């Protein structure tokens, strides 16, 4: 069973409170010892920018740097070191460190508790932790300090347990009701080993209850792609996600329940498998000055898990954190867009796994087909019908004694003209400048030569916009 290192990961930012000391002299001695050692450690290791996170006092006790608080006594990391020394076969050093930690304990009723003597998260100094007490009971039992181990366990219930409808949950911070997954699983494993070594039936019953409540609540810590640090909370940092996964595998090996293995497998896949990207093939060709559906590209793709997604089409790109599912972007070419472009999508998930996908080449063209036009002059009324497959924005001009410009023509329409000066030709152009001329009935005027309806100006720049 691998125990070293795992309990160290849970010690991230503990600041915990203890109970009322039962023996004033012992309490004063423990407090003075910690205060003196804290001062010496901070003098020896003046906390600066490059100062290590953890240091050890001459006693072997672990001190951790907490910002402006400097180095502070870290009981959980210290008991984690006891376990690590045992795993390394250095039982004599482990027992000496365990005795040093017992000397720094305070009496809490009939139990022993280890205090965190600095304020954090808005809480006052002198706090304790149910997780620390569980790991302490485990470590002390492993070096055969069974009586002290029993007193460490005794300090847990009921003050360092949270009563949930599903069962008890270990209290990570004595000042908080946060339901933290890694604390529960580590405490469960630690108490199970302590119970076996110390033959403590109360600890065995509590570990069974912790296992039951953990199994019931485990699905609520799964977001579908990652683990939650605490119940109904946000995503766990990757270090805690991996730590929880390792705890679940240990529970799977030491328990008959398959629940642990199934969840461990899900979490393992979450932090090892890159996001899956699927891009719907876009149209092969778009037209620079055509109507919207032909002048812009809909890029549709899906991503299997939340990720930082970067999309590049032509010369423009967008980057954003996107949820799992289907996403749509619109891209419009600009005046200087190359004739051939491609779309590329990349995704970087929470754990740093990356994937990418690209599309086939997209051709950017100009429309060269003139619109189809029909026109009839009946008396002083001009009737027309015009259609262009790629552009709905049509412009026209009437050629004759009274020239009339039709800036925005509808696909069909009626226009009143002067009877004494009827037009001879109707010229219709699309947005690309392709023109069609229609001779009107009764006209003897030849086809127009100098009438030019220029192409509309393309947008100056390419654009890329998230739609969904």
């Amino acid at each position: 069973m691998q125990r070293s290192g795992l309990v160290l990961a849970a010690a991230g930012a503990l600041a915990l409170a203890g109970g009322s000391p039962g023996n004033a002299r012992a309490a004063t001695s423990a407090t003075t010892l910690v205060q003196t050692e804290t001062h010496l450690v901070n003098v020896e290791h003046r906390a600066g920018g490059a100062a290590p996170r953890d240091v050890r006092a001459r006693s072997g006790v672990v001190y951790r740097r907490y910002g402006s608080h400097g180095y502070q006594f870290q009981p959980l990391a210290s008991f984690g070191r006891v376990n690590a020394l045992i795993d390394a076969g250095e039982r004599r050093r482990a027992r000496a460190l365990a005795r040093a930690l017992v000397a720094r304990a305070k009496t809490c009723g009939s139990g022993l508790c280890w205090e965190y003597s600095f304020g954090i998260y808005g809480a006052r100094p002198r706090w304790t932790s149910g997780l620390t007490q569980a790991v302490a009971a485990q470590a002390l039992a492993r070096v055969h300090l069974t009586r002290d181990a029993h007193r460490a366990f005794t300090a847990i219930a009921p003050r360092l347990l949270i009563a949930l409808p599903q069962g008890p949950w270990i209290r990570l911070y004595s000042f908080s009701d946060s339901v933290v997954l890694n604390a529960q699983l580590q405490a469960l494993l630690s108490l199970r080993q302590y119970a076996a070594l110390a033959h403590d039936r109360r600890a065995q019953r509590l570990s069974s209850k912790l296992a039951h409540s953990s199994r019931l609540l485990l699905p609520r810590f799964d977001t579908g792609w990652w683990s939650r640090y605490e119940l109904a909370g946000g995503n766990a940092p990757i270090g805690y996600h991996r730590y929880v996964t390792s705890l679940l595998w240990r529970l799977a090996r030491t328990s008959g329940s398959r629940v642990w293995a199934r969840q461990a497998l899900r979490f393992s896949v979450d932090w090892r498998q890159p996001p899956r990207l699927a891009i719907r093939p876009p149209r092969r060709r778009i037209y620079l000055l055509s109507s919207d559906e032909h002048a812009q590209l809909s890029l549709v793709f899906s991503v299997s898990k939340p990720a930082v997604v970067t999309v590049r089409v032509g010369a423009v790109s967008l980057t954003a954190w996107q949820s799992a599912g289907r996403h749509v972007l619109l891209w419009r070419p600009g005046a200087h867009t190359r004739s051939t472009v491609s779309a590329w999508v990349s995704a970087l998930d929470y754990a740093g796994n990356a994937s990418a996908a690209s599309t086939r080449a997209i051709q950017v063209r100009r429309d060269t087909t003139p619109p189809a036009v029909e026109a009839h002059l009946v008396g002083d009324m001009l009737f027309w019908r015009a259609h262009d497959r790629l552009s709905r924005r049509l412009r026209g001009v009437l050629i004759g004694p009274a020239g009339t410009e039709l800036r925005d023509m509808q696909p069909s329409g009626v226009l009143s003209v002067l009877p004494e000066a009827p037009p001879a030709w109707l010229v219709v152009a699309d947005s690309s400048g392709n023109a069609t001329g229609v001779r009107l009935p009764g006209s003897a005027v030849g086809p127009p030569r100098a009438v030019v309806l220029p192409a509309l100006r393309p947008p100056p720049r390419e654009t890329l916009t998230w739609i969904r």
Side-chain angles (χ1 to χ4, degrees):
M1 186 183 300
Q2 297 179 351
R3 304 174 184 93
S4 58
L6 294 178
V7 293
L8 294 175
L14 291 172
L16 318 150
S20 302
N23 187 308
R25 182 178 302 174
T28 302
S29 175
T31 301
T32 302
L33 179 58
V34 171
Q35 289 176 344
T36 302
E37 192 171 56
T38 300
H39 174 72
L40 292 174
V41 167
N42 280 279
V43 169
E44 184 177 355
H45 304 275
R46 293 190 181 277
R53 181 176 181 239
D54 287 350
V55 297
R56 292 197 294 271
R58 295 183 181 182
S59 61
V61 171
V62 177
Y63 279 74
R64 178 159 294 170
R65 184 159 55 97
Y66 289 93
S68 61
H69 296 289
Y71 286 104
Q72 297 290 331
F73 174 41
Q74 227 305 339
L76 179 57
S78 299
F79 281 111
R81 178 163 167 72
V82 174
N83 280 325
L85 288 171
I86 297 170
D87 293 339
E90 300 187 40
R91 301 191 68 86
R92 181 177 295 179
R93 291 179 62 194
R95 187 177 177 87
L97 176 55
R99 289 190 179 280
L101 288 168
V102 170
R104 287 155 178 78
K106 294 186 69 174
T107 303
C108 303
S110 60
L112 288 178
C113 59
W114 286 264
E115 291 184 336
Y116 293 75
S117 56
F118 57 98
I120 199 169
Y121 303 144
R124 294 181 179 181
R126 309 295 175 193
W127 299 88
T128 54
S129 164
L131 174 58
T132 297
Q133 296 298 133
V135 176
Q138 173 196 26
L140 293 171
R142 294 183 72 193
V143 293
H144 307 296
L145 297 178
T146 308
R147 181 174 176 274
D148 295 319
H150 176 73
R151 294 183 69 193
F153 167 73
T154 301
I156 294 178
R159 194 172 54 86
L160 294 178
L161 292 175
I162 304 170
L164 299 177
Q166 295 81 5
W169 200 274
I170 204 74
R171 194 181 293 275
L172 178 57
Y173 308 111
S174 59
F175 58 82
S176 172
D177 286 335
S178 295
V179 180
V180 178
L181 180 58
N182 72 76
Q184 176 82 347
L185 299 183
Q186 179 61 69
L188 164 58
L189 285 164
S190 295
L191 290 178
R192 182 176 289 176
Q193 186 177 25
Y194 157 72
L197 292 172
H199 307 288
D200 191 327
R201 292 185 179 180
R202 286 178 57 213
Q204 187 176 12
R205 286 194 296 268
L206 178 58
S207 65
S208 297
K209 291 178 181 179
L210 294 177
H212 178 72
S213 55
S214 300
R215 286 194 298 268
L216 292 178
L217 285 174
L218 199 53
R220 292 174 57 181
F221 285 94
D222 190 347
T223 67
W225 65 274
W226 202 252
S227 67
R228 301 183 193 278
Y229 176 78
E230 60 181 305
L231 195 63
N235 302 323
I238 185 170
Y240 281 104
H241 182 87
R242 292 177 176 176
Y243 176 48
V244 161
T245 304
S246 70
L247 294 175
L248 289 168
W249 282 125
R250 289 174 60 194
L251 283 166
R253 291 192 297 269
T254 58
S255 170
S257 175
R258 296 181 180 179
V259 172
W260 313 115
R262 285 198 298 266
Q263 193 63 59
L265 182 60
R266 283 179 58 88
F267 285 166
S268 296
V269 170
D270 288 340
W271 61 269
R272 287 174 174 161
Q273 186 178 75
R276 294 187 301 275
L277 285 168
I279 305 178
R280 191 176 74 186
R283 286 201 313 274
R284 291 182 180 274
R285 184 173 297 174
I286 63 174
Y287 294 87
L288 186 60
L289 292 171
S290 55
S291 58
D292 285 347
E293 65 267 32
H294 297 287
Q296 65 186 14
L297 177 75
S298 293
L299 183 64
V300 183
F301 71 92
S302 62
V303 60
S304 63
K305 62 168 74 171
V308 176
V309 177
T310 298
V311 181
R312 178 179 291 278
V313 187
V316 291
S317 65
L318 288 176
T319 299
W321 175 264
Q322 296 291 349
S323 60
R326 180 174 176 267
H327 302 279
V328 182
L329 297 95
L330 288 182
W331 175 75
R332 288 187 71 95
H336 304 291
T337 299
R338 293 180 299 178
S339 60
T340 302
V341 300
S342 61
W344 175 82
V345 181
S346 69
L348 182 69
D349 72 10
Y350 197 65
N353 302 304
S355 59
S358 60
T359 68
R360 62 194 180 190
I362 303 160
Q363 306 298 322
V364 180
R365 297 289 184 263
R366 282 181 181 261
D367 178 19
T368 59
T369 304
V373 183
E374 296 179 12
H376 303 280
L377 186 61
V378 180
D380 60 352
M381 303 299 292
L382 174 65
F383 299 84
W384 80 83
R385 295 176 62 186
H387 170 71
D388 189 278
R389 185 177 67 87
L390 298 175
S391 178
R392 293 197 182 98
R393 188 170 182 184
L394 303 174
R395 296 156 298 144
V397 63
L398 291 172
I399 300 174
T404 303
E405 186 176 351
L406 307 174
R407 293 189 176 182
D408 288 299
M409 294 183 64
Q410 297 298 317
S412 62
V414 180
L415 180 68
S416 176
V417 299
L418 295 174
E420 62 273 15
W425 286 79
L426 171 64
V427 179
V428 179
D430 61 18
S431 55
S432 295
N434 305 306
T436 297
V438 178
R439 185 197 297 267
L440 299 176
S443 169
V445 180
R449 295 181 180 178
V451 177
V452 178
L453 293 173
L456 299 177
R457 291 184 178 182
R461 296 181 180 86
E462 300 174 35
T463 60
L464 185 61
T465 308
W466 289 102
I467 300 300
R468 186 183 319 117

